[in-house]
Amino acid sequence: MRFVFAIVAFVAAAVMIGLGVAQRTVFMEPDRASMAVESDGATAFTVLESDALEANSGKQEITVSGDGAIFISYGRSSDMVAWLGSTPYQSVHYDPETKSLVSEVVTTEPVDDPQLETPEETPAATAPPTTPPATPGATETPAPIDPEVLAAATPVGSDLWLDEFTGERFVTTTIDVPEGISVLIASDGVNPAPARVALDWPGDTRTPWVGPLIAGGALVFLVGLGLLISGFVRHRRSRGPRRNLPKGPRGKLPSAPKPSKRNQVTGGRRAIGRAKRVALVPALLVPALALSACSADYWPTFENGDAPATTAPATPEASAAATDAPDPEEPVVEPAVTVPQMERIMRRIAVFTSEVDKAGDATLAAERFAGPALAARTANYTIRATLADHPLPPAIPAAPLTLTLPQQSTGWPRTVLTIAKNAEDETIAPTALVLVQETPRDNYHVIAQTALVPDTEVPEVAPASIGAPPISPEFKGLVMPTGEVAAAYADVLQNGTASAFAPMFDLEASDLDEALNAATRKAEAEKANPTATLTVSTVAGSAPTIGFGTIDAGAIVSVDVLRAEKSVPNDGGTTGFQEGGSAAALSGFTGQSAKGVQRVSDIQLLFYVPSVSAGEDAKIELLGWAENLTTASEVK
């Protein structure tokens, strides 16, 4: 039986080792799948649609070649269509019947409703060429590109992209994007798009069962070899001297015939040595096969059973409970940004802010700031032009982002609330920023920058993949409509606890109402200068109120309040700004005036407004604030 088991083991070992070797040879999948498409030169942009990128499974390796500059970016397909607008582009799709990439020139018709984010695509058969036809016999001289036209057309640096790559003549990159993501390819946005685009999907050449099969086959072979040897040993031991054998005619055992010299086996040691060498062949072959399966690709991994994360998260998945098919005519509601997109935007803004603050260029600052945030920086730059030791505006940290809350939107403008901590100095309060993107081709602008109140707790909000619903200024589901918060708090700052709105705010959690209270400020100023009378007025600012819904049906609200101070002499004399002060530097008026002087500060505020369902005791909480001097002048 041992010989039978040994044969079975040898057969099993041969099958296992053969299967292991076959996985690396005849059964092995191709190392990559490739497709390519040529540009006809009629458009300045080529778009690899989502279905083209998903024609094969795995990561997408994109190779673009052409004459001159090359630009590659990827982002949400709807954002890409919105950025292109009415510009014709070459759309590349995957044709499952021919199993190849096909392209067509399409354009997006402009629509009257700005809320529609994904307009209908129609073939642009009569799209005008990017360059006029050449006159026969004339020498073609390319006309210089207007810098303003180039700036409007270039996709480089757009906040809509999840990532981008640039190069000259040849660019290759590997991405891993899910459904709903497209790739934009261009040169400079004006000249024709690069001529050739190749799309490869590197195959997974891992064969995780090669190692177990070969190692297991080697083990089974050794077991069979052991059975074979033990069978021979047992058989040899069973051949002992025989007793009670029949005798010959004379009572003697028959004698064996003498072997002839011709049939005698000589060189017994040599024969035995040859047999040993033959037996060593499988003993050496099996370890060699086992060692050949030592590569990490030949063994299964158990460290993480999940697939690697993609480089671009998809748009939020539909709820499992949703059974109704979406209406194709209704605009798609999506969060304004994804987390990786916001992280990239914040890195850009942080670097830009550091450079522009050092340069003190208000015109350049307008590329990333607007509204109260731009007014604050413009005034700061003017002051520092006279007072070199005046502090810079508060820096904007790039990371880490402790909160990314995009508004859900169907179009533009888009709004995002984010909170960033200072990784280098934890004593600095986290910075809350409200950013707005007015159009698809505009970048995000900071319109509000506040420092969080110490020990404040930001209400729980939806994840960034879902976003926050926008809150209408007239919404009645809150303890106070968001459109009334700025005026109500301005009244609190003007009248203190005597304000009719004071009971609706949690004033104990913050001393801001006392620090900026009009009566307090008036008393301090007149004590310092008894010959002047100070008039303080606090009103709601002109910046739009922006609200973000929270999970508990409340809202995080960004508003601004203006505080004007007017100082006039009360003794028939003169008055002026403090010598060497920021107001004097901002206004440029350093003398004394019989009419008086005035200044305006902008106070940016971030509130949490509870839902009416929170109860009668729920109060509006101050989350963050910042005060900045914006204007100063002599009274006219």
Side-chain angles (χ1 to χ4, degrees):
M1 288 299 293
R2 299 192 183 190
F3 293 109
V4 174
F5 288 142
I7 293 174
V8 172
F10 289 148
V11 173
V15 171
M16 294 175 68
I17 294 175
L19 287 175
V21 173
Q23 285 200 15
R24 295 299 300 178
T25 53
V26 294
F27 295 156
M28 191 171 181
E29 297 290 337
D31 60 348
R32 65 179 50 236
S34 301
M35 298 181 186
V37 65
E38 299 285 343
S39 173
D40 56 8
T43 62
F45 301 99
T46 298
V47 177
L48 297 179
E49 305 292 354
S50 181
D51 60 344
L53 297 174
E54 293 187 315
N56 291 284
S57 60
K59 297 181 179 180
Q60 303 92 2
E61 184 179 293
I62 303 171
T63 303
V64 181
S65 56
D67 296 330
I70 293 176
F71 171 84
I72 304 174
S73 68
Y74 63 91
R76 290 188 292 193
S77 301
S78 57
D79 289 351
M80 201 157 288
V81 171
W83 189 92
L84 288 166
S86 59
T87 304
Y89 64 95
Q90 183 176 5
S91 176
V92 179
H93 291 272
Y94 174 69
D95 186 354
E97 295 183 357
T98 61
K99 295 184 178 180
S100 62
L101 298 178
V102 295
S103 64
E104 62 175 342
V105 176
V106 300
T107 188
T108 303
E109 295 294 341
V111 293
D112 296 333
D113 186 1
Q115 296 300 316
L116 292 181
E117 185 180 36
T118 311
E120 181 183 358
E121 294 180 355
T122 57
T126 59
T130 55
T131 57
T135 303
T139 304
E140 296 186 4
T141 303
I145 301 175
D146 187 347
E148 293 185 0
V149 174
L150 181 60
T154 179
V156 178
S158 173
D159 285 346
L160 288 182
W161 315 142
L162 296 170
D163 206 349
E164 63 183 49
F165 315 91
T166 57
E168 293 288 334
R169 300 180 65 85
F170 181 87
V171 175
T172 182
T173 184
T174 300
I175 60 178
D176 185 11
V177 297
E179 182 181 1
I181 301 295
S182 298
V183 172
L184 179 69
I185 299 170
S187 57
D188 56 11
V190 175
N191 292 312
R196 178 177 172 82
V197 179
L199 193 56
D200 295 337
W201 294 265
D204 186 3
T205 57
R206 293 179 65 255
T207 49
W209 291 107
V210 168
L213 284 172
I214 292 181
L219 180 62
V220 173
F221 179 85
L222 293 176
V223 171
L225 187 62
L227 289 171
L228 182 64
I229 295 174
S230 66
F232 275 117
V233 171
R234 181 180 178 82
H235 178 70
R236 187 170 184 177
R237 289 178 179 175
S238 65
R239 296 178 58 195
R242 298 182 180 181
R243 303 181 184 276
N244 300 326
L245 296 176
K247 296 183 179 181
R250 296 182 181 181
K252 295 182 180 180
L253 294 173
S255 58
K258 295 181 180 180
S260 63
K261 291 183 179 181
R262 185 173 58 185
N263 295 331
Q264 283 182 339
V265 179
T266 59
R269 290 185 178 179
R270 183 180 303 172
I272 295 173
R274 185 181 299 112
K276 289 182 178 180
R277 287 194 296 272
V278 173
L280 284 175
V281 171
L284 295 175
L285 178 61
V286 171
L289 289 173
L291 288 174
S292 68
C294 290
S295 171
D297 291 342
Y298 299 169
W299 296 88
T301 58
F302 304 98
E303 296 178 357
N304 186 4
D306 298 330
T310 61
T311 56
T315 52
E317 298 181 356
S319 171
T323 56
D324 297 335
D327 187 352
E329 296 183 358
E330 292 186 1
V332 179
V333 178
E334 292 180 331
V337 295
T338 64
V339 172
Q341 188 179 357
M342 193 66 223
E343 291 174 344
R344 187 165 175 267
I345 293 171
M346 284 299 295
R347 288 194 296 269
R348 287 180 169 181
I349 291 178
V351 173
F352 173 86
T353 303
S354 176
E355 294 175 353
V356 76
D357 284 350
K358 292 179 181 178
D361 189 342
T363 303
L364 185 61
E367 295 182 7
R368 280 294 187 179
F369 293 87
L374 177 60
R377 270 181 158 71
T378 302
N380 181 274
Y381 300 159
T382 303
I383 295 171
R384 286 179 37 246
T386 302
L387 301 177
D389 58 346
H390 190 76
L392 290 167
I396 294 180
L401 302 183
T402 60
L403 176 70
T404 297
L405 184 60
Q407 269 191 358
Q408 298 173 351
S409 63
T410 59
W412 278 262
R414 291 181 171 182
T415 310
V416 183
L417 169 67
T418 186
I419 298 177
K421 291 181 62 177
N422 191 311
E424 299 178 356
D425 190 353
E426 295 185 355
T427 61
I428 299 178
T431 300
L433 300 173
V434 178
L435 302 96
V436 173
Q437 184 183 40
E438 293 293 340
T439 69
R441 293 205 177 187
D442 285 330
N443 281 333
Y444 276 91
H445 287 64
V446 179
I447 63 170
Q449 177 182 356
T450 60
L452 292 189
V453 175
D455 302 325
T456 188
E457 293 185 5
V458 179
E460 188 176 1
V461 297
S465 59
I466 297 177
I471 304 298
S472 170
E474 295 82 20
F475 179 59
K476 304 297 184 181
L478 304 174
V479 295
M480 178 182 292
T482 58
E484 300 176 7
V485 172
Y489 199 72
D491 191 76
V492 172
L493 294 180
Q494 184 70 27
N495 302 304
T497 56
S499 170
F501 302 103
M504 305 186 68
F505 291 86
D506 186 5
L507 302 180
E508 296 181 358
S510 172
D511 59 354
L512 181 60
D513 60 310
E514 293 296 332
L516 300 179
N517 182 268
T520 303
R521 174 61 183 153
K522 177 179 174 65
E524 292 177 351
E526 293 181 351
K527 181 179 180 180
N529 185 10
T531 61
T533 300
L534 184 68
T535 303
V536 181
S537 61
T538 310
V539 297
S542 59
T545 299
I546 299 177
F548 302 83
T550 60
I551 287 182
D552 60 359
I556 297 176
V557 184
S558 173
V559 300
D560 79 313
V561 169
L562 299 178
R563 186 183 68 181
E565 300 178 359
K566 182 178 180 181
S567 178
V568 296
N570 54 20
D571 61 349
T574 60
T575 188
F577 293 118
Q578 180 181 358
E579 184 178 355
S582 57
L586 177 60
S587 65
F589 179 73
T590 58
Q592 296 292 311
S593 171
K595 297 180 180 180
V597 291
Q598 56 189 359
R599 52 184 287 170
V600 178
S601 296
D602 187 285
I603 307 170
Q604 301 170 49
L605 302 157
L606 192 67
F607 290 102
Y608 165 63
V609 183
S611 167
V612 291
S613 61
E616 297 180 356
D617 296 334
K619 296 184 178 182
I620 302 174
E621 301 176 12
L622 178 67
L623 302 179
W625 67 282
E627 181 188 13
N628 300 281
L629 177 65
T630 55
T631 61
S633 65
E634 180 185 9
V635 176
K636 300 301 183 181

